[in-house]
Every structure is written in C-alpha cells, then in structure tokens.
Amino acid sequence: MRALALLGTLLAALLLASAAPASAHAALRASDPADGAVLKSSPRAVTLTFTEAVGLLDDSFRVYDPTNHRVDTSEAEHGPAGSDTARITFPKKLGTGTFTVAWRIVSADSHPVSGALTFSVGKPSATTASVSTGPVENPVTGSLYNIGRYVAYLAMALLTGTVAFIAVCRPPGPAALRTPIRTAWWALLAATLFLFVLRAPYEEGTSPATAFDLSALAKSATGRPGLALLARVALLALTAALHHLLLRKRVSRDRPSRPLLATAAALAVALALTWAAAEHASAGIQVPLAMTSSVLHLLSMALWLGGLTALLITLQRSATPLPAAVVTRFSRVAFASVTVLVVTGVYQSWRGLGSWQALTDTSYGRLLLVKLAAVTLLLAAALQSRRWTAKLAPAATVTAPARVPLPVGAPADLPAAPAAPTADEPPASDKPSPSDGPPASGEPPAASAGRHQAALRRSVLAEVAVGVAVLGITTILTGTLPGRAAAEAAESGTASAAAGIPAASVALVPFDVGTPNGHGKVQITLDPGRVGANSVQAVVFGPDGGISTVPELRLSFTLAAQKIGPLPANVTDRGGYWAADSVNLPIAGEWTMTVTVRVSDLDQVTVTKKLRIAA
C-alpha cells in the first residue's frame, strides 16, 4: 500500500511537471474574414468556425487597430450557423490598415483554446505592440486542474469498484471495506468541488487566486462542465445514502435486494455520465454512441481497478484464506470488465485518431501507444492473477469443507446427506474431501491455500499498481488534442502564406534535462521573422555538437503584453529536423518562445526564450 501511495504521488508530480498550455480539442476551421485577407471595405462582423461546438467567455474577442488601440465590438455570440461558431459585430466602420483579432473560447469537451488572426482594410499596414498588463494561460492553474481530474478518476474507480465488490462478490467481513469507501467518497467530493472552484480560472487562463470570485463561480454554474460537476455533487449525496443501505445488508448477511442493486447501478451510470458529458465523447462525430462507449469504458475500468483494490485489501486483512467463491465471482466480473474495456477502447481509439498515420504523427497517437503498452502489461498481470485464482479455489475447498446439517433427531454418528452445490462451487463429486489427505505434493491443504493466496495478493498488487499508472496516462490523454481534430484543422487551416520578405530570424535555445548526455541546443529558424505567417524549422544538436534525434519537440509563441497565445507551432518530424509550414504571429513585439524537448520516454524539459518579431 505504501508503494501504491508512492506511485500515485509520482504520477501527480508527472502531471504537474508535464503541464503545458492546454491542448484544446476545438480547432479553428475557418474565419470570415480569412486570416491575412485584404478587404476593400470594413467588415460588419468577424465570424470564427471551429471543428466542434464551443463556449464563449466574457472576453472571447479582442480586436486591435493598426495603432494597437482596442476596437469597440459587440458581445461575443454564436453565429447563425450554430454552436460551432463564434461571432462579434462592429458598431461602426473600421478605418484602413491591418487589424488583429485575438480570441479565446472553451471547446465542447471543456478545454480552453486561444489564437489570433489578422485582416486588412484597404491595404496592409505595420502594427506595433504596446504594453498592456493582463494574465495569459496560467501553468499553476492548469497543473492543479489536471491533478484534480486525476484524483477524481482514482476516487471514482475505488468507490464504484469497492461497492460493486461488496454487492456482487459478497466477501466475509465487508465492514473492513468501510474505510476505503468513505475515503473514496470524500476524495471524489473534494476533487469535484476543487474542479468547480478552479473552472473559471482554468477557462480564462488566470491564476488560482481568482478562483473565489463570486461572479466567476456563478458563471461556472451555468456552463456545461460546471453543471456536470454540480450534478456529480448531487449524485454523491444519493450515493452516500445508498452505500449505507448496502453495507448494512452485508453486515447483517442479507443479500441486497434487486431494486437496491438496480438503484446502485443507475447511480453509477449517472456518475459516469458526468464525465462523458464534459469530455471527448461530448464533441465530434457519433456523439450518442461515443458517450455510451465512454460511460461503459469508465464503469468497466472502475469495476476492474476498484474491485482489484477491494480484493487486495480483503486479502491483506483476512486472517484466514478467503473463500474460493469470493475470488471466483470477482474473476468473472473482471473478465467481463476487460472485455468491455477492449471493445470500447478500440472504438474510442478509432474515433480519436481518424487514421493510422495519426498514431505516430500526433501527440495523441503517441500517447495512446504508451497507454496500449501499459494496458498490455496490465492484462498480463491480470492473466497471472486469474491463474492463481484457479489454483486457489480447490485449495480453499480442501481447507474449509462445507458444514452440512444433520436431520433433526438423528444420532450424532449418522452420516449426513451431501449438500447441493452452489452456483459458485463445483459438483460434490469434483471436490476434494478431507479423507483424500494432502495433495500429491505432500503439502498440507492449509499451507497450499496460504501460499496460493499470498501469490494472488502479490499479483493483484501488481495489477493495481499498473492500473493506477494507466489512469494517470488516461488523464493526460484526455487533455490532448485528438488526432482526428488535428488532421481536420490542418486540412482546413486558414494560415496565409508569407509575403515574400527575405529576412529570417534564427534563435539558439540551450536545454538540459539533468541526465548524462541530456543537454544540447535547439536552433530555431523563423522565416521571415516578421508579423504574419512564418515557416518554422528546428534542428536539435546534442552535447557533441552534432545533429541529434529526439522523440518529441513542441514549440509555442506567447505575446503576454497583448494576452495573445500560446499559439502552438505544431512542428512535425521531417527526418533530421522539425518543421511547420506556417505559424501566424499577428503583432510585432517581444514574444516568448516556449520549447519543450523530450529526449527519452521519461526525460523532458521546457525552456523559454524571448524573440523580437518585427512589423
């Protein structure tokens, strides 16, 4: 258990350390006016079209004129085409020159996204950045929000899986599982309230200090992610009452009634829906089917991982070998859960990727490969546990034969009729009897059962440890732009071509991950290094000065003075170097270039460098 606690702490630290600007899941499909367009007359409105439905903020649009004064606009609203659009209108005609539009919205799956574009009226003009204070994306808020989501996943698994273990597997002494259930319930409630309080700062990119603004809390309560979190709190209140009834039934050795079990199942489905309604499944293609798959996937994970934890605790605290029927029942539940996990996981992977190429060309695909490897390891541990379960059942039967009552009034030495086998026991003819003596190996039955149970306990512990790691990977995966959305945005991207300016900006960014030979430099070339569309090339040099190959390189640009960004460069590996064909930097000024270099599966570092973009 101490090892599991350490693993959970390390995963939380990983979530904190790997937190970068949120990989939003709504990508800009088109804009009117188009990015870089030169118009003959002033437009009446600016309309953005995204790859999925989006939510709007109070400050979703900021428009700047050629002198970098903010332009008066209407409040942001959805366009006539539907909820996947965002639109503002201008109360009066614009002057001539180049105008900059900075925008920030919240995608349907609850992740914020920002960007910028330019258009010109009459003819293009140079723009000069002016200093204005204001918050940009806050890495502390994003890290805390990711940790809250991870704790919520863990608590959901432990709560649902342990209650199901008590109701279905019927272990002896279920009172020992009261503490895990209560801990999970309070952890899920605390994580849910924590996420609700952080919702507004997370969407707006502000620091956690702004979380207790009453107006921000009120606004969070009206958005879909906030409503899902509040619904989860209400469902947890009902779950507490139901848990009390279920546990009382088990302590009194009464089987829970079917209506009680049906109510518990309905509450579990409703809890899982609060995740599906605010994450990947709620946006994109085949939403009803995707939400159904997401609910089944989450519940199967909870039944398996939470049930494993409950089984481990029961094995640890049981003074005598656990009845074989309990382990057998859980083995059946685990097998069914794994089957559902595989089926729904394949569908969700297809839906998120969209193509085989995205499996290696996108961060989502590469992270999915890591998760598949971890799940394969988890299935191997589960297979080993199933083997020990099969060995434990006959050993436990020999150790603890069933007690059969004698007929009333019969002599004490009268042989009793054999009892009918239960649904979880083999026929009497297949059971070893005490008269059969010890197994052929000469080992006493009690010692054999104890040895098998100890081996099962170690195997289940390994399953739980790997399962906790899989949950951590899943939490990061749900915060990553799906490959299908990335491909769709790339195909319909609106970045304009460079205007033929011959100059280029070259920056050399040193990095050091803190491991032997884990340092070097990244040479980044921005062409033409001016306002507008720029091509990006990045070459990584190792400690010996030669060109080095790294598994991942990420690059983004932020102009803090104007609250623009981070704008991801979306560089891809071109074989020896990384490149992006077009990154639009709409305003001149001192931009912050953020570079993340990953040199191995575990070692990465994020460094920043100031970069002057000319008009």
Side-chain angles (χ1 to χ4, degrees):
M1 298 305 291
R2 285 194 297 269
L4 286 178
L6 177 60
L7 178 61
T9 303
L10 291 175
L11 286 171
L14 174 62
L15 289 171
L16 185 63
S18 63
S23 297
H25 303 153
L28 182 64
R29 186 200 301 273
S31 66
D32 182 18
D35 186 18
V38 179
L39 311 176
K40 293 181 179 180
S41 60
S42 171
R44 294 184 176 181
V46 173
T47 303
L48 306 179
T49 304
F50 296 90
T51 55
E52 64 181 48
V54 297
L56 303 177
L57 304 170
D58 291 337
D59 199 26
S60 276
F61 284 88
R62 299 183 306 280
V63 182
Y64 299 92
D65 65 15
T67 61
N68 284 295
H69 290 90
R70 189 160 178 176
V71 176
D72 291 334
T73 65
S74 67
E75 291 187 2
E77 61 183 0
H78 292 296
S83 59
D84 62 343
T85 61
R87 182 173 183 264
I88 53 167
T89 59
F90 300 109
K92 59 182 180 180
K93 288 187 177 181
L94 302 176
T96 60
T98 300
F99 292 80
T100 301
V101 180
W103 50 267
R104 183 182 181 89
I105 51 87
V106 180
S107 61
D109 54 6
S110 78
H111 298 280
V113 57
S114 61
L117 58 91
T118 62
F119 66 88
S120 301
V121 179
K123 63 179 181 179
S125 64
T127 58
T128 306
S130 61
V131 176
S132 63
T133 60
V136 293
E137 280 208 1
N138 189 283
V140 176
T141 301
S143 300
L144 291 175
Y145 197 84
N146 282 336
I147 292 174
R149 292 170 61 240
Y150 177 63
V151 172
Y153 273 126
L154 278 178
M156 170 66 177
L158 183 58
L159 177 64
T160 305
T162 306
V163 171
F165 182 80
I166 292 174
V168 177
C169 301
R170 305 191 294 278
L177 296 174
R178 283 181 178 177
T179 299
I181 290 178
R182 288 172 179 169
T183 301
W185 188 90
W186 281 108
L188 183 53
L189 178 63
T192 302
L193 294 175
F194 180 72
L195 291 172
F196 180 78
V197 170
L198 277 182
R199 186 66 215 171
Y202 177 68
E203 290 180 352
E204 296 172 2
T206 56
S207 72
T210 64
F212 295 98
D213 181 12
L214 293 180
S215 61
L217 291 174
K219 186 174 181 180
S220 295
T222 60
R224 180 164 61 175
L227 289 173
L229 292 171
L230 292 178
R232 192 181 301 169
V233 172
L235 290 169
L236 283 173
L238 297 176
T239 303
L242 184 67
H243 155 252
H244 178 72
L245 292 175
L246 280 173
L247 200 58
R248 189 172 64 183
K249 287 283 186 181
R250 291 303 304 133
V251 171
S252 63
R253 300 187 182 277
D254 295 331
R255 276 190 84 170
S257 63
R258 289 186 177 180
L260 196 60
L261 292 176
T263 303
L267 278 176
V269 171
L271 275 174
L273 272 171
T274 63
W275 271 272
E279 293 192 351
H280 283 177
S282 62
I285 62 173
Q286 304 175 352
V287 171
L289 180 59
M291 290 188 65
T292 302
S293 173
S294 178
V295 168
L296 292 175
H297 196 78
L298 180 58
L299 288 178
S300 300
M301 176 277 298
L303 289 175
W304 186 16
L305 184 56
L308 277 173
T309 306
L311 176 61
L312 178 62
I313 293 172
T314 304
L315 288 170
Q316 292 276 22
R317 298 183 179 179
S318 178
T320 58
L322 198 63
V326 174
V327 182
T328 302
R329 293 183 192 114
F330 178 72
S331 181
R332 294 170 182 168
V333 172
F335 181 79
S337 299
V338 170
T339 303
V340 174
L341 275 172
V342 170
V343 174
T344 55
V346 169
Y347 167 73
Q348 291 178 190
S349 298
W350 167 82
R351 183 175 181 267
L353 286 172
S355 67
W356 287 108
Q357 186 177 0
L359 199 59
T360 55
D361 288 355
T362 64
S363 297
Y364 183 89
R366 290 188 290 269
L367 193 57
L368 183 62
L369 288 176
V370 175
K371 180 180 177 180
L372 290 176
V375 169
T376 301
L377 184 61
L378 184 59
L379 291 175
L383 180 62
Q384 187 64 30
S385 296
R386 193 171 177 84
R387 289 173 179 169
W388 284 117
T389 299
K391 293 180 180 180
L392 178 64
T397 306
V398 171
T399 305
R403 299 181 65 181
V404 181
L406 296 174
V408 176
D413 57 351
L414 181 66
T422 65
D424 297 306
E425 294 176 346
S429 59
D430 297 336
K431 297 181 182 179
S433 65
S435 60
D436 292 337
S441 62
E443 183 180 24
S448 176
R451 181 172 58 84
H452 291 159
Q453 182 156 314
L456 177 62
R457 185 165 57 244
R458 290 191 296 270
S459 181
V460 170
L461 178 60
E463 266 190 272
V464 173
V466 179
V468 170
V470 169
L471 270 185
I473 299 171
T474 302
T475 303
I476 300 174
L477 192 64
T478 56
T480 305
L481 178 66
R484 185 185 295 272
E488 186 176 357
E491 290 175 3
S492 57
T494 58
S496 58
I501 302 174
S505 174
V506 180
L508 205 58
V509 183
F511 69 89
D512 189 348
V513 299
T515 60
N517 297 322
H519 61 279
K521 297 178 181 179
V522 183
Q523 178 181 293
I524 299 171
T525 303
L526 208 60
D527 188 9
R530 294 176 176 271
V531 168
N534 289 263
S535 64
V536 180
Q537 291 186 356
V539 181
V540 181
F541 296 96
D544 58 353
I547 295 178
S548 177
T549 301
V550 296
E552 184 177 11
L553 182 71
R554 297 196 303 272
L555 182 63
S556 65
F557 298 89
T558 302
L559 183 60
Q562 293 286 2
K563 300 196 300 185
I564 297 176
L567 307 179
N570 296 324
V571 293
T572 57
D573 190 355
R574 304 290 177 88
Y577 71 99
W578 296 72
D581 294 330
S582 183
V583 177
N584 185 44
L585 304 178
I587 294 180
E590 190 176 54
W591 289 72
T592 299
M593 182 168 57
T594 303
V595 185
T596 299
V597 185
R598 182 163 65 85
V599 299
S600 68
D601 290 340
L602 298 177
D603 301 313
Q604 73 174 37
V605 66
T606 298
V607 292
T608 60
K609 186 177 182 65
K610 298 293 184 181
L611 185 69
R612 171 66 62 175
I613 298 298

